[in-house]
Amino acid sequence: AVMRGRFGVRKLFRIGKYQISAQADLFNIVNSSYVKNQNVTFGTSLGQPLDILNPRTLRLATQFRF
């Protein structure tokens, strides 16, 4: 099993008739470097990772509604 983990929070602010929301998402919380794909071609590079799980990533977002 791959322990990736995701955590997100969102806060809504109302200012008069307007709404503003702020959001933060954290992906791959445990910073796993799980090998998703590896070289299966015979030779010196056999078994070398070709693709690993993306590193810990933070996404920030805002939304304005009127």
Side-chain angles (χ1 to χ4, degrees):
V2 179
M3 292 279 302
R4 295 186 300 183
R6 176 180 179 260
F7 178 75
V9 293
R10 176 179 237 167
K11 176 67 179 166
L12 180 65
F13 301 95
R14 288 194 171 97
I15 302 170
K17 63 179 183 174
Y18 303 107
Q19 290 181 356
I20 300 171
S21 70
Q23 180 176 343
D25 292 302
L26 185 60
F27 301 95
N28 194 9
I29 294 172
V30 294
N31 206 23
S32 171
S33 57
Y34 174 76
V35 176
K36 297 189 322 187
N37 191 13
Q38 64 183 355
N39 190 349
V40 293
T41 306
F42 185 73
T44 57
S45 61
L46 179 66
Q48 284 189 334
L50 298 174
D51 190 20
I52 63 170
L53 195 62
N54 289 333
R56 190 177 296 136
T57 306
L58 175 65
R59 177 177 63 186
L60 301 174
T62 58
Q63 187 176 43
F64 181 72
R65 291 184 182 192
F66 53 94

